Amino acid sequence: MDDSDPEPDPVADEGDDVGGSPACFAHLLCPECAAVPEAGATACWRCGADLPRRE
């Protein structure tokens, strides 16, 4: 076994580009029950909570 040529690390370094940006859709969910409301809805279809206005 030759220790002069170590195997490359299979885990990407923190500086490596892994592509894309993290997606976060939490702001689109109902704040009370986490249901996914229809576009333009003013109240949650599941629990009836008032939904914040989306822009």
Side-chain angles (χ1 to χ4, degrees):
M1 178 175 231
D2 185 3
D3 290 329
S4 62
D5 290 327
E7 291 184 33
D9 188 359
V11 178
D13 291 334
E14 288 183 26
D16 289 349
D17 182 18
V18 293
S21 59
C24 181
F25 299 103
H27 67 283
L28 300 175
L29 303 178
C30 171
E32 297 296 321
C33 72
V36 180
E38 295 281 330
T42 57
C44 177
W45 61 269
R46 182 186 292 162
C47 70
D50 289 331
L51 298 173
R53 185 175 174 169
R54 290 196 264 176
E55 295 185 31

